[in-house]
Amino acid sequence: MGLDERLPLLDGRLATYVNLDNAASTPPLREVLDAIGLFLPYYSSVHRGTGFKSRLSTAAYDEAHDTIARFVGADTSANTVIFGKNTTEAINKLAFRYPLAPRSVVLSTAMEHHSNDLPWRGRAQVVRARVTREGRLDEDDVDRLFAAYGERIALVAVSGASNVTGFVQPIHRLARKAHAVGARILVDAAQLAPHRRIDVKPDDDPEHLDYVVLSAHKMYAPFGTGALVGRRDTFLQGEPEYRGGGTVEIVTPTDVHWAGLPDREEAGSPNVVGAVAMAVAAQTLMNEGMDNVTRHEVSLTAYALEQLRSVEGVTIYGESDPGQGQDRVGVIAFNLGSSPHALVAAILGYEAGIGVRSGCFCAQSYVTHLLGHGAEQQARWRRKQLAGDRSGRPGMVRLSLGAYNTPEDVDALVTMLRGIGRDDYQGQYYQVAETGDYEPAGYADAFHSCFSLTGPETRPKR
Ligand SMILES: Cc1ncc(COP(=O)(O)O)c(C=O)c1O
């Protein structure tokens, strides 16, 4: 949806929006919106109502769990699918529940998103395997950590694909190593699920993935849902994280019998529409064929790398060889000469209608490491930021491809980058210290011409 939307530029022209920010959120699939449109007239409460609409909604909600299990190849006799808000919530839920002893170690990597790092801090000693200059996991370092910590390692917590360099981690090899020391593995699949077929493999396979988490808004279903797929026995231990309606079987003034799974971990009225949307997106991707999605994206990523490398002054972080596309998803972080990343991103947005992201992408430690910033430089920037001035914030520009992007989208970006490299752009930009963002002088977004919460839509003339 919205791929052919023509939106206003700085000079007043309209241009078709080019979304190269899929790693943050993808646009909705038309199939998802169509299905939600068909579902909403029947939407009602789930699990507790006896009316036709409640029975239908309950059936759809239950089926959504099964669809997500199928999407990752999970056997539902031993595994459960728990719906929540997003990947971040799912990892926090696992961090709350996962049994960790005082000396337990969580083995992770230096390339993790904050959402797969912060929840583990304070719960266990977190050790992080190094990443090579090309953005690959240093598997020798992984082996060193396994040898050093052995059975103290309770969990291996890794992203399926990096949201900075796009590197796809060797998750099944890591699973084998984790299981060999009696640990389990969590795969943060937020960046993997929209791009690669995930197969958790049978539970007794040494390469089995014990827990997988994913976000619907990164896989074309923006209705506020994420899923945690994992071993049932983990979530049957102890009391539910949140307690209340929906989590119980029996309640007396003094006693509680908790419900089974997934109910006990989905407290309160669930986001039924979000779950249905996520399931429709997953089913659509399966129908389309994840291998076809991958094939298209691998070739487009190679093209994007080739084109970017031809732009004078571009530095690509991580692997930049177009021939190494199998090991990465279409997430490419770069800088352009000495131009501030936030300025480049602003010009792309305001002057060409190209949506990218700039900054540290919720992976501050990793991004500053890739930038080669030393401790002193980082400390200086931290002091400034904590004083409320984000103008010197470190970062990169990130383009991220989705299944619908085309070579023309890449060409539009590259043409603009060449111009920016020659200081050939229209606006006079100033930086807002509180945000670190650049804005063009004398320009105000006219959002109301596209959408307004308070008034009727008045679309710009095409
Ligand atoms: C690798 C990775 N993990 C976790 C997350 C967090 O996802 P969410 O914001 O949907 O919770 C993101 C989001 O960008 C991500 O890229």
Side-chain angles (χ1 to χ4, degrees), residues 217-406:
H217 71 98
K218 294 186 196 292
M219 43 187 278
Y220 311 99
F223 288 89
T225 302
L228 163 54
V229 185
R231 301 172 58 112
R232 296 175 69 82
D233 54 5
T234 304
F235 301 97
L236 290 170
Q237 301 166 36
E239 302 195 340
E241 180 185 15
Y242 293 106
R243 301 137 207 213
T247 63
V248 291
E249 207 60 70
I250 295 170
V251 180
T252 73
T254 53
D255 207 8
V256 183
H257 291 268
W258 302 109
L261 286 165
D263 299 17
R264 60 190 273 143
E265 289 294 345
E266 292 179 347
S269 302
N271 177 359
V272 182
V273 174
V276 168
M278 185 174 195
V280 173
Q283 188 59 56
T284 307
L285 286 170
M286 287 189 279
N287 294 349
E288 191 67 30
M290 283 311 293
D291 294 343
N292 292 332
V293 169
T294 301
R295 206 168 305 121
H296 169 69
E297 292 182 359
V298 164
S299 118
L300 193 56
T301 304
Y303 180 71
L305 285 168
E306 218 172 83
Q307 293 303 307
L308 268 182
R309 276 160 50 124
S310 72
V311 178
E312 202 179 317
V314 160
T315 304
I316 294 172
Y317 298 94
E319 182 62 76
S320 64
D321 180 351
Q324 300 292 326
Q326 295 299 333
D327 282 354
R328 68 179 302 158
V329 298
V331 173
I332 305 173
F334 63 93
N335 269 315
L336 178 61
S338 57
S339 303
H341 55 90
L343 174 61
V344 173
I347 298 169
L348 291 172
Y350 284 105
E351 301 192 17
I354 299 174
V356 294
R357 177 153 297 210
S358 90
C360 286
F361 325 119
C362 296
Q364 286 183 16
S365 313
Y366 186 38
V367 166
T368 48
H369 166 75
L370 286 172
L371 288 169
H373 287 184
E376 208 172 294
Q377 195 173 3
Q378 291 187 38
R380 218 175 318 124
W381 170 70
R382 256 183 252 130
R383 271 198 303 278
K384 206 169 148 188
Q385 163 135 359
L386 290 175
D389 180 355
R390 294 185 175 79
S391 57
R393 65 188 169 125
M396 305 163 174
V397 183
R398 180 183 75 183
L399 80 95
S400 51
L401 302 166
Y404 60 90
N405 283 120
T406 62

Side-chain angles (χ1 to χ4, degrees), residues 22-25 85-91 111-116 158-164 188-192 213-218 225-226 357 361-362 398:
N22 296 283
S25 288
K85 284 206 296 279
N86 48 37
T87 295
T88 305
E89 187 179 81
I91 297 175
M111 71 174 92
E112 299 306 311
H113 188 280
H114 296 158
S115 292
N116 192 28
V158 294
S159 50
S162 162
N163 70 317
V164 179
D188 163 3
Q191 294 298 341
L192 191 66
V213 291
L214 52 161
S215 284
H217 71 98
K218 294 186 196 292
T225 302
R357 177 153 297 210
F361 325 119
C362 296
R398 180 183 75 183

Side-chain angles (χ1 to χ4, degrees), residues 30-43 223 273 276:
R30 188 173 294 280
E31 285 85 344
V32 168
L33 295 191
D34 288 350
I36 292 304
L38 292 172
F39 174 62
L40 281 177
Y42 302 103
Y43 161 73
F223 288 89
V273 174
V276 168

